[in-house]
Amino acid sequence: MKNIILKNGIFGGIIVSIVMISMTLYMKTNPDSEPSPIIGFGSMLLAFIFVILGIKQERETNRGVITFGKAFLTGLSISLVISTIYVIVWLIVYYNFFPNFMEQYSEMVLKNTNPEELVAKTAEMNQMKEWYKNPIMIILLTLMEILPIGIVVSLIGALILKKK
């Protein structure tokens, strides 16, 4: 089981990290244009295909039988590996290559905000800048980007692939 979790988690983590690095480089070199959230979300879904594959592999290892609980725990474990790799890569990118990310991101967001929403969005960006001063908050915010998707995919995969 550990081999299945690690293998699928590492592959998924590599996929989502490559796309994140590409989007970050794009944002750094093109500060006026916002990267597509659809590409980011799509890369996360693509990475979480390895959750489904891992649950299926675990079921095959157990002669075609897997309970919902075992399937969910397998999927959740793979999701945690993918999410951990994503967070670690972001921390490396942020601290070593893009330390002014929040300033650039805030400028981009505020520039593209409707005038009637500008006050609220400015307050939100100022709060995020404050949070980004604390490494623990960076980790938590980055986990909040990806882990909920992994939990949902793990639940769906466990429901679909459970077999008694």
Side-chain angles (χ1 to χ4, degrees):
M1 181 167 119
K2 289 180 185 177
N3 189 27
I4 290 170
I5 291 169
L6 285 176
K7 181 179 70 172
N8 286 289
I10 290 170
F11 286 144
I14 288 170
I15 287 173
V16 77
S17 294
I18 287 172
V19 175
M20 181 206 5
I21 290 169
S22 301
M23 289 179 69
T24 304
L25 287 173
Y26 175 80
M27 186 179 161
K28 189 170 182 172
T29 57
N30 301 301
D32 294 333
S33 56
E34 189 171 355
S36 171
I38 294 171
I39 292 173
F41 184 72
S43 72
M44 290 178 190
L45 287 178
L46 180 65
F48 286 121
I49 286 175
F50 286 96
V51 168
I52 305 298
L53 293 174
I55 294 170
K56 192 171 187 314
Q57 291 167 3
E58 185 65 29
R59 185 176 78 181
E60 290 168 0
T61 301
N62 294 323
R63 294 179 298 255
V65 176
I66 193 166
T67 63
F68 171 80
K70 179 77 167 173
F72 178 68
L73 286 177
T74 300
L76 186 62
S77 298
I78 295 168
S79 295
L80 287 171
V81 172
I82 293 171
S83 299
T84 301
I85 291 170
Y86 182 80
V87 168
I88 289 169
V89 170
W90 173 244
L91 290 172
I92 291 168
V93 168
Y94 176 70
Y95 283 113
N96 294 299
F97 304 105
F98 204 0
N100 65 336
F101 166 77
M102 274 314 298
E103 289 77 23
Q104 188 171 333
Y105 180 70
S106 282
E107 287 176 25
M108 179 188 60
V109 168
L110 294 175
K111 188 175 70 174
N112 296 325
T113 300
N114 296 331
E116 58 271 1
E117 300 171 357
L118 194 58
V119 172
K121 192 57 86 170
T122 301
E124 180 184 329
M125 288 295 103
N126 288 337
Q127 180 64 57
M128 293 227 13
K129 283 181 187 178
E130 212 40 53
W131 285 340
Y132 253 68
K133 292 178 182 176
N134 182 346
I136 301 297
M137 287 304 295
I138 295 172
I139 291 168
L140 292 174
L141 289 168
T142 308
L143 266 177
M144 284 176 33
E145 290 174 17
I146 191 165
L147 189 57
I149 299 167
I151 293 169
V152 170
V153 171
S154 297
L155 280 169
I156 293 169
L159 284 170
I160 292 171
L161 294 171
K162 68 178 178 173
K163 192 172 182 184
K164 292 185 178 183

